Amino acid sequence: MNIILIGFRGTGKTVAGMLVAKRLGWEFIDADDYLEEKTGKDIVTIFEEGGEKSFRQTEESVIAELCAPGHKVIAAGGGAVLSKKNVENMKNGGLVILLEADTDTIYERLKSDPKTRSQRPRLTDRDLYDEIVHLLEYRRKYYDKAADFRVDTSRLTPEEAAREIITAFEERSSG
Ligand code: S3P
């Protein structure tokens, strides 16, 4: 069973996911990094060349590949849950854990994360804070539907978040 982390940009999927993988001795794969390696392009360039639609198509094939049976920790991109096919593949491929955070925390993390420039094209014409509010509201039902378990990382260190994820996984695999 894989552990698949979902959630909005800036909820800590990559940082916590790496720690979880290290503790379990599993491989960690960030779906966005993997997609960039496969295509040889960064996500901002993919959006510029083919729009969000082309990115989402590539993302679907990456998620399908990564969710094949195994023992991996996978950090999915924040919008991966918008595709029914992705959610189906995630549910079949492992335990789906939703990482959440409040709007202010997400905003601060996105502003300070160097990955934002290459991996996080803007998704609306709104200013960043407004975009977060709007998309969180729109996506809530998708995240809720996909999640087997949820962890709010707003006030947790990455180590604490990783511990909660591992506890959820251990409870699930023992019962
Ligand atoms: C996206 C989130 C990004 C990346 C792409 C689209 C989204 O991943 O997949 O920019 O639609 O929320 P992170 O959640 O890892 O930032």
Side-chain angles (χ1 to χ4, degrees):
M1 186 201 278
N2 298 296
I3 294 178
I4 301 152
L5 303 179
I6 60 166
F8 199 73
R9 296 167 157 178
T11 50
K13 293 166 292 186
T14 302
V15 193
M18 286 170 89
L19 289 171
V20 171
K22 200 168 160 201
R23 296 232 178 104
L24 295 176
W26 292 9
E27 185 184 3
F28 170 76
I29 303 176
D30 179 290
D32 290 332
D33 290 347
Y34 188 73
L35 186 152
E36 289 185 331
E37 260 169 48
K38 271 194 98 146
T39 58
K41 292 175 184 171
D42 66 31
I43 293 175
V44 166
T45 307
I46 297 173
F47 266 67
E48 275 166 11
E49 289 178 357
E52 182 171 350
K53 197 166 170 219
S54 127
F55 169 73
R56 297 292 173 207
Q57 279 167 357
T58 315
E59 186 178 45
E60 274 193 353
S61 66
V62 163
I63 295 288
E65 187 183 331
L66 295 180
C67 290
H71 294 289
K72 302 181 288 302
V73 181
I74 301 156
V81 293
L82 298 171
S83 148
K84 223 172 164 178
K85 201 165 137 197
N86 286 345
V87 175
E88 228 173 82
N89 284 327
M90 291 188 221
K91 292 271 196 201
N92 290 332
L95 182 66
V96 182
I97 300 188
L98 171 62
L99 300 195
E100 299 177 287
D102 58 56
T103 310
D104 289 359
T105 304
I106 290 175
Y107 179 69
E108 291 307 325
R109 287 180 185 163
L110 291 189
K111 276 199 311 177
S112 62
D113 185 350
K115 270 192 167 181
T116 295
R117 187 176 290 274
S118 60
Q119 283 199 345
R120 299 189 178 115
R122 298 298 299 281
L123 299 166
T124 67
D125 294 333
R126 298 162 188 256
D127 71 36
L128 180 60
Y129 194 89
D130 247 34
E131 176 170 299
I132 297 167
V133 172
H134 172 75
L135 289 180
L136 277 177
E137 179 59 29
Y138 175 75
R139 291 181 178 177
R140 187 176 318 276
K141 56 185 176 302
Y142 293 93
Y143 289 131
D144 287 350
K145 205 165 173 202
D148 293 316
F149 192 85
R150 51 182 75 218
V151 176
D152 187 336
T153 66
S154 307
R155 271 151 212 82
L156 299 182
T157 63
E159 288 74 16
E160 288 168 337
R163 210 170 305 134
E164 288 209 11
I165 293 166
I166 291 172
T167 304
F169 170 72
E170 285 172 349
E171 277 171 13
R172 186 56 70 101
S173 32
S174 70

